[in-house]
Amino acid sequence: MVRYHYTESDFSTKAAAQASLLRLLEPLKPFYSQGGARVELGVTSTHYENGTIPIESFARPLWGLAPLWAGGGGEPEFEDLYRRGFAHGPDPEHPEYWGKCRRYDQRFCEMAAVSYALLLCPDKVWEPLSEEERDHLADWLWEINRHECVASNWQWFCILTNLALKSVGRPYSQERLDSGLGLIEEFYHGGGWYHDGAAGEMDYYNPFVMVSYSLLYAMLLDREEPERCARFRRRAREFARDYLYWFGEDGASIAYGRSLTYRFAQGAFWSMALLAGEEVLPLPVLKGLIVRHLCWWLNQPIYDNAGVLTIGYAYPNLQMSETYNAPGSPYWALKTFAFLALPDGHPFWAADCAPPAPAGALPIPAPRQHDRPARGRRRGGPGAGAAGAGALRPHRGEIQQVRLFQPLRVQHRPGQL
């Protein structure tokens, strides 16, 4: 199968960028269930229930579809699939019912994608529903308030879900909003960085969730909570000054930390900053970072023969997975398409892709001190001394790529591939 080769021209206009997203999503269509509420992409399992896996595969494409729809884009077949999916999945009487939840349920993670869609494009995912279907969806989302959420980046899932319920005029939990935001403050380390939980890792979960969702929060609540939102925005600007150095001239980023199978979600922060109207870097630099990153990743052999994203990193590889990675998990990467929600007249669409700043043009941030050793470090193993980060988490079966301030350097030891 001949793969499409992505270039900067695929993101030079809004229409071209929309087409790039839909090219990624088109291979999923045959795998949607009859009722539209589940997507069966494979047979590999996880530490959570197998019944949750196709729900995750249904929800995660929304990280791309929601900004596509919010920005005025459309695709009739996907709109029909999600209209039916949102009608049937939360319906307790339907065979594809998404089910009741439990403590620390993986479905809480997927509620964040559903909530993102409700917040960005209710005209596509809420308004088409009947009153009874809306009741079912709101009741299912309320499950997150009936159970305990992990004290980590998962607090943001609870926050977004309650914001979404509030936005559509349904009951929400102010208590869970307050407690979640309180924990997020406790996790803040300094310099724009958060621990993932009390003294947890500082890795890609900052751009995946902690810093990016705080910008989404600021975009939605600037008027209601100016002080908190200004604080979130200030931290994002600080984070950008460090995070810029995680990206190489070709668009690749450091292979570091957990959840590497989320791949180009590494670029989600830059895109969310654009959506939130926060100029963390000059606009041409931001566009260059996003476009080069997407082109680098989308040109890697990361698909199966049907064109579906695989578990792995720069190629399919189950060694590069965690126990929570299911066949649909890699579609968390679509968070980087948040820029599709920008209006047609936004200057991003006319901006050039500025090259990365030459070495020495920007100050190199000082290494940030961990409160505790980085989990997963192996004595004597290869490492990346990145600001805000601990040691590179080695993964057997992948070449360790270190991209900081110089071209690619491949580090390996005897017996390591």
Side-chain angles (χ1 to χ4, degrees):
M1 182 177 180
V2 177
R3 295 288 178 211
Y4 185 86
H5 184 78
Y6 290 83
T7 66
E8 288 188 7
S9 65
D10 290 294
F11 302 95
S12 61
T13 67
K14 189 173 186 178
Q18 290 171 337
S20 294
L21 171 69
L22 292 173
R23 190 179 296 113
L24 273 174
L25 292 175
E26 182 69 24
L28 297 179
K29 288 180 178 177
F31 302 103
Y32 282 79
S33 58
Q34 184 176 358
R38 294 171 180 264
V39 183
E40 300 281 358
L41 293 180
V43 296
T44 54
S45 193
T46 62
H47 69 76
Y48 52 82
E49 299 88 345
N50 285 340
T52 297
I53 291 173
I55 300 170
E56 176 186 271
S57 300
F58 168 87
R60 296 204 172 187
L62 289 167
W63 289 109
L65 287 168
L68 172 79
W69 292 330
E75 205 280 356
E77 194 169 353
F78 276 118
E79 290 175 31
D80 177 66
L81 283 168
Y82 279 87
R83 164 66 181 84
R84 291 189 287 119
F86 280 119
H88 298 148
D91 182 355
E93 302 302 319
H94 196 276
E96 296 182 18
Y97 176 49
W98 292 335
K100 297 289 186 180
C101 296
R102 58 171 173 79
R103 181 183 186 225
Y104 304 154
D105 202 300
Q106 175 65 26
R107 284 167 287 192
F108 299 158
C109 181
E110 313 322 320
M111 287 181 186
V114 173
S115 299
Y116 185 59
L118 287 172
L119 290 163
L120 261 59
C121 52
D123 58 313
K124 296 292 186 182
V125 298
W126 178 259
E127 293 172 13
L129 301 178
S130 69
E131 195 61 29
E132 182 181 31
E133 289 164 349
R134 292 178 187 180
D135 289 343
H136 289 157
L137 179 54
D139 288 346
W140 184 75
L141 289 172
W142 186 263
E143 282 290 299
I144 201 169
N145 293 324
R146 294 190 175 103
H147 304 279
E148 187 175 355
C149 246
V150 182
S152 67
N153 71 89
W154 280 41
Q155 291 299 308
W156 272 115
F157 309 155
C158 192
I159 293 167
L160 288 188
T161 300
N162 279 287
L163 287 180
L165 288 168
K166 182 180 180 180
S167 74
V168 295
R170 294 303 172 116
Y172 67 96
S173 173
Q174 187 64 49
E175 180 183 356
R176 294 299 289 267
L177 282 171
D178 292 341
S179 63
L181 289 164
L183 283 170
I184 296 301
E185 288 300 318
E186 290 182 21
F187 301 158
Y188 186 63
H189 177 82
W193 290 83
Y194 294 83
H195 290 281
D196 189 13
E201 270 80 350
M202 291 192 294
D203 58 8
Y204 277 121
Y205 276 86
N206 274 272
F208 289 170
V209 179
M210 304 297 277
V211 189
S212 295
Y213 289 16
S214 69
L215 282 172
L216 179 61
Y217 188 95
M219 181 186 80
L220 297 168
L221 283 96
D222 265 330
R223 292 184 179 180
E224 292 87 345
E225 301 182 33
E227 184 177 344
R228 188 197 309 275
C229 293
R231 185 164 65 247
F232 283 159
R233 289 179 179 277
R234 182 178 64 252
R235 290 173 182 174
R237 293 192 295 271
E238 293 179 35
F239 176 75
R241 291 197 291 270
D242 280 356
Y243 194 50
L244 171 66
Y245 288 100
W246 288 45
F247 292 78
E249 294 180 359
D250 56 0
S253 191
I254 301 170
Y256 165 77
R258 301 167 294 161
S259 299
L260 290 178
T261 200
Y262 299 152
R263 296 183 174 110
F264 48 97
Q266 294 164 344
F269 165 71
W270 307 122
S271 194
M272 198 64 75
L274 274 171
L275 182 60
E278 190 60 48
E279 193 169 332
V280 295
L281 293 170
L283 185 59
V285 175
L286 274 177
K287 186 168 184 179
L289 282 165
I290 293 168
V291 171
R292 283 189 300 272
H293 187 62
L294 284 171
C295 287
W296 189 89
W297 269 114
L298 298 180
N299 288 328
Q300 303 304 311
I302 57 178
Y303 317 91
D304 66 16
N305 289 337
V308 174
L309 292 176
T310 59
I311 297 170
Y313 194 57
Y315 51 84
N317 185 353
L318 289 175
Q319 297 277 15
M320 292 295 290
S321 66
E322 280 88 359
T323 61
Y324 49 82
N325 292 154
S329 296
Y331 285 89
W332 233 35
L334 298 182
K335 292 180 181 189
T336 299
F337 281 89
F339 66 89
L340 289 181
L342 296 173
D344 294 352
H346 194 282
F348 173 82
W349 301 115
D352 293 326
C353 291
L362 293 172
I364 296 175
R368 207 169 298 290
Q369 182 63 46
H370 260 284
D371 291 337
R372 56 185 281 281
R375 189 186 312 157
R377 182 170 187 169
R378 297 180 183 176
R379 182 175 299 175
L392 181 70
R393 181 185 178 192
H395 271 283
R396 186 174 55 200
E398 286 277 335
I399 294 176
Q400 299 301 325
Q401 298 181 352
V402 181
R403 297 174 180 271
L404 286 171
F405 320 117
Q406 298 178 14
L408 172 67
R409 295 177 296 168
V410 177
Q411 299 184 358
H412 63 89
R413 292 178 174 274
Q416 284 186 325
L417 297 177

